[in-house]
Amino acid sequence: MIMLETENLSKTFLLHLQGGVRIDVLSGVDFHVSAGECVALTGPSGAGKTTLLRSLYGNYRAAGGAIRVRHEGRMVDIVTASPRLVVEVRDRTLGYVSQFLRVVPRVSALDIVADAARGLSPDEARVKAAELLRRLHIPTRLHGLPPATFSGGEQQRINLARGFIGSHPILLLDEPTASLDNANRDIVIEMIREARASGKAIIGIFHDTHVRDATADRVFHVSPLQDAA
Amino acid sequence: MTDETLLSARNLNLHFGAVPALVNVNADLWPGEVLAIVGESGSGKTTLLNVLSGRMAPQSGTVWYRDSEGVQSDVHAMSAPSLRALHRSDWGFVHQNPRDNLRMGVSAGGNVGERLMAQGSRHYGSIREEAIRWLAQVEIDEARVDDLPRTFSGGMLQRLQIARTLVTHPRLVFMDEPTGGLDVSVQARLLDLIRTLVRRLGIAVVLVTHDLAVARLLAHRVMVMQRGVVVETGLTDQVLDDPQHPYTQLLVSSVLAA
């Protein structure tokens, strides 16, 4: 079952402050991902992998084409959906793990993660959050602290816990293992494989070929536009 | 997801002499949603807040509010007593300067309790209890309940104003630069508090701020205003990360990190 598909997707940045420079990043992108499948986006640096991922999430506004997401039994086009509907789709269907954690002042690591849970009572969410953090080797003594002062690897793992706790049917991962050591990298591989086995659709950017080979069913190559033209 | 808006504005226009403050402004707010109005000083954002909340009349255009019974009314066609009643019950207004809202000669507990009394509560003991409960929610020590606000710091005054506003469980709160003029550390605490309370109570908020980081932290959607015109509107992270309009690109690129 197709969970997400794009049709003729394009993305252009028009930089008004730089004299109206126009940068075409994506053009004619057609791809799809099904339930229980993990697709890795590949391509050289600057080809537009992150731009594609961010467009799928509605963080970037597509210039043209469609991004259809299976949301509660119907296909919603992220490109034309109202902002409120996109908020709802992100809440229930589409999860996103960015490379960097955006810290909220004063909020503890545990609450940042628990906050992203869905369909759980606050207490259940905190229990699940603590489990996930422990699985990702974040020691219990750090759970109550705001992660602003945590290391890059620790922040990334909090971000991952936050991304996985929601159990969204579709998960977008941008370099989920970039600043992790091997032990933690292997945990993340395990978590991605479990999510895939439980029927989630996953789209990821993995520079680490070991992670890619261990998780992805297939790759989708993003070519830089100037090369393709 | 309900399609019925809580607040809707259509074709609002207002000029101060030759200066356009609102030019054909449309806005919609749904229950439980936080909408930020951003822009520089003089862009018309506070004027829009005042017009949406009925505190200032537009030269043309309409603001509709839908009450808990589902009945829509034209905010600017209401009688003054009805509008005041709305401000006392369904609505709240958080001013940039808490002194504009608080009664400085009345105790902290009295400031919170007064809103309850205005709604018809009469039992002194339960009003005081509720006031103390709300002071705790905004992290003001119970021991300060009988102190006058003039002995409070700026951050405490702002928290007291928030307790006074939220004690009656409004459905819609208007906020004008609620963290303006506060130290950064005090701002962070206040923002976290607003964010938590607004989500827990499911309140809809129209928030005016010139600080894009505040919009990012609190708002689902933003409207960007320039010289009275809404130049861009959309999901908060989309508008801030992929701004389309030249003015929004300028705003976003002018801050260190939003």
Side-chain angles (χ1 to χ4, degrees), chain B residues 139-202:
Chain B
E139 302 171 9
I140 293 174
D141 191 348
E142 186 181 335
R144 304 295 303 266
V145 63
D146 295 318
D147 291 354
L148 291 179
R150 79 167 67 97
T151 64
F152 285 14
S153 68
M156 281 174 81
L157 284 177
Q158 197 53 292
R159 281 181 276 134
L160 180 60
Q161 183 187 194
I162 286 167
R164 176 179 161 95
T165 307
L166 299 187
V167 65
T168 52
H169 293 273
R171 302 170 71 218
L172 169 58
V173 174
F174 301 93
M175 297 188 183
D176 189 4
E177 302 276 9
T179 59
L182 298 174
D183 290 342
V184 176
S185 60
V186 176
Q187 270 191 29
R189 181 179 189 187
L190 193 67
L191 282 174
D192 178 36
L193 197 72
I194 293 174
R195 176 178 156 273
T196 310
L197 290 173
V198 161
R199 278 162 130 213
R200 193 191 316 142
L201 303 171

Side-chain angles (χ1 to χ4, degrees), chain A residues 11 59 61 84 90 115, chain B residues 2 199 237 241-242 249:
Chain A
K11 175 62 194 163
N59 178 228
R61 195 178 301 208
R84 295 174 63 227
R90 288 175 177 183
D115 193 52
Chain B
T2 170
R199 278 162 130 213
D237 65 278
D241 293 338
D242 187 16
Q249 292 190 354

